[in-house]
Each structure stands twice: as C-alpha cells, then as structure tokens.
C-alpha cells in the first residue's frame, strides 16, 4: 500500500512541477513569486517528505523486483521489507541536514 501511495504522491509532485515550470513562459513575474515560496521552511519540510517518498518508492521498488524475478524472493520478502525500512531510515536520517538545514537556520537563526 505504501508503494502505491508514494507513487501517487510522486506523480502529483511531478504534475505540479511541470505546471509551475510552464508558468515561466506565461508570466515570469508570477514564476518568480512561486519560486520564492519554495524557499520557505514549510516547503523545506514538504521537500523532506518528497525525498522520503521517492527514496521509499525506489527502495521498495527494488524489493518488488526481487520478489518478482528472484526464485527465492517470495520466501524472503518479509526480511527484504525490513531491510528496505532500515536502509530508508538510515538514509532519511542522513538527509535531515542537507534538506532541512537551511530551514532550521531561517527559523532558529544561524
């Protein structure tokens, strides 16, 4: 279920991204306003959520491929799921500072 939800969230992000990028041809001033909102701490938290969704979707996708194409995949799917979760958590912990560092400095000061 989480794989499907993250897939839909990623699709929604890509749809919005295409729309806001297309705005540059229609109204460069409005495009600049939209891009300025992307530098807010709230959007940084949403960006961290996007990283979480993409990373989980990618790692779980590899697990799904292994289950489908490896003869022993179905037997080890539970262990592979926990491996995906552990790797995902470790990588998400490593992404805290690069993704949320600027937002933390804006909110709490340098």
């Amino acid at each position: 279920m989480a794989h499907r939800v993250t897939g839909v969230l990623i699709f929604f992000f890509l749809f919005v991204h295409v729309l806001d990028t297309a705005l540059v041809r229609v109204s460069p001033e409005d495009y600049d306003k939209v891009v300025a909102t992307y530098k807010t701490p709230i959007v940084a938290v949403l960006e961290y959520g996007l990283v979480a969704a993409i990373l989980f979707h990618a790692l779980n996708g590899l697990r799904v491929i292994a289950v489908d194409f490896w003869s022993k995949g179905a037997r080890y799917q539970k262990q592979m799921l926990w491996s995906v979760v552990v790797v995902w958590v470790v990588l998400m912990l490593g992404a805290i500072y690069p993704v949320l560092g600027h937002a933390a400095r804006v909110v709490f000061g340098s």
Side-chain angles (χ1 to χ4, degrees):
M1 185 68 164
H3 192 75
R4 291 177 177 153
V5 169
T6 56
V8 169
L9 291 173
I10 294 165
F11 175 78
F12 177 72
F13 163 77
L14 290 173
F15 180 72
V16 170
H17 179 63
V18 167
L19 288 179
D20 74 3
T21 303
L23 189 60
V24 76
R25 309 242 326 139
V26 177
S27 174
E29 297 82 21
D30 289 336
Y31 174 78
D32 290 339
K33 289 177 189 174
V34 169
V35 170
T37 64
Y38 291 161
K39 297 175 183 173
T40 63
I42 292 171
V43 174
V45 172
L46 293 173
E47 197 172 56
Y48 187 72
L50 176 65
V51 170
I54 291 171
L55 188 58
F56 179 81
H57 192 79
L59 293 171
N60 193 56
L62 294 173
R63 182 190 69 85
V64 169
I65 290 170
V67 168
D68 287 346
F69 293 106
W70 181 34
S71 62
K72 297 179 184 177
R75 185 179 316 150
Y76 294 110
Q77 72 174 342
K78 193 176 213 178
Q79 292 90 336
M80 288 189 291
L81 175 62
W82 283 109
S83 298
V84 163
V85 170
V86 168
V87 170
W88 179 77
V89 167
V90 168
L91 292 174
M92 288 308 298
L93 289 172
I96 288 174
Y97 181 76
V99 178
L100 296 176
H102 175 71
R105 286 188 294 279
V106 168
V107 172
F108 301 113
S110 296

